[in-house]
Amino acid sequence: MDKAETLALYEQGKEAWNAWAEDILARRPELEKADEWDDKSRVYFQDHHFGDLVDFGEFVFPGYAGFGGATFSDDAGFDGAIFSGNVGFAGATFSGEATFSGVTFS
């Protein structure tokens, strides 16, 4: 997904996000065979400004998750999130508390 698609899905909430993630993970073999896995499974929040509290608690990230250069102006919670691919926070700024309790990186 590109950044606009990522943000639109995020705005729909955790249930919609995780439904998408579960579908993508279930389709991984066919997406890899068609050489579409990277494009379909990655999400981009690069350089995005999160002005309010951010709660990614228990979100599932099936592929690459890019948060590079993102600004978190308030607290950011990732508790219980599952990162199935690589994740990048290079250059991200956290102004509030950032929690990663129980996060799975696999």
Side-chain angles (χ1 to χ4, degrees), residues 86-98:
N86 293 330
V87 59
F89 286 97
T93 303
F94 294 89
S95 297
E97 181 178 1

Side-chain angles (χ1 to χ4, degrees), residues 3-90:
K3 185 176 176 179
E5 293 168 323
T6 299
L7 292 171
L9 181 57
Y10 172 69
E11 289 297 320
Q12 293 178 41
K14 179 174 63 175
E15 287 184 24
W17 183 280
N18 285 349
W20 162 80
E22 289 172 17
D23 177 63
I24 289 292
L25 287 167
R27 295 176 40 220
R28 184 173 186 158
E30 74 181 68
L31 292 171
E32 285 179 334
K33 186 176 180 179
D35 199 26
E36 295 178 345
W37 171 252
D38 289 338
D39 290 336
K40 301 283 187 185
S41 67
R42 70 177 145 213
V43 296
Y44 286 109
F45 292 98
Q46 266 91 340
D47 300 316
H48 184 69
H49 179 261
F50 293 95
D52 297 320
L53 171 74
V54 176
D55 184 7
F56 283 105
E58 300 179 359
F59 273 54
V60 176
F61 298 88
Y64 175 77
F67 291 90
T71 302
F72 298 86
S73 295
D74 201 338
D75 293 346
F78 291 86
D79 301 327
I82 299 171
F83 292 95
S84 298
N86 293 330
V87 59
F89 286 97

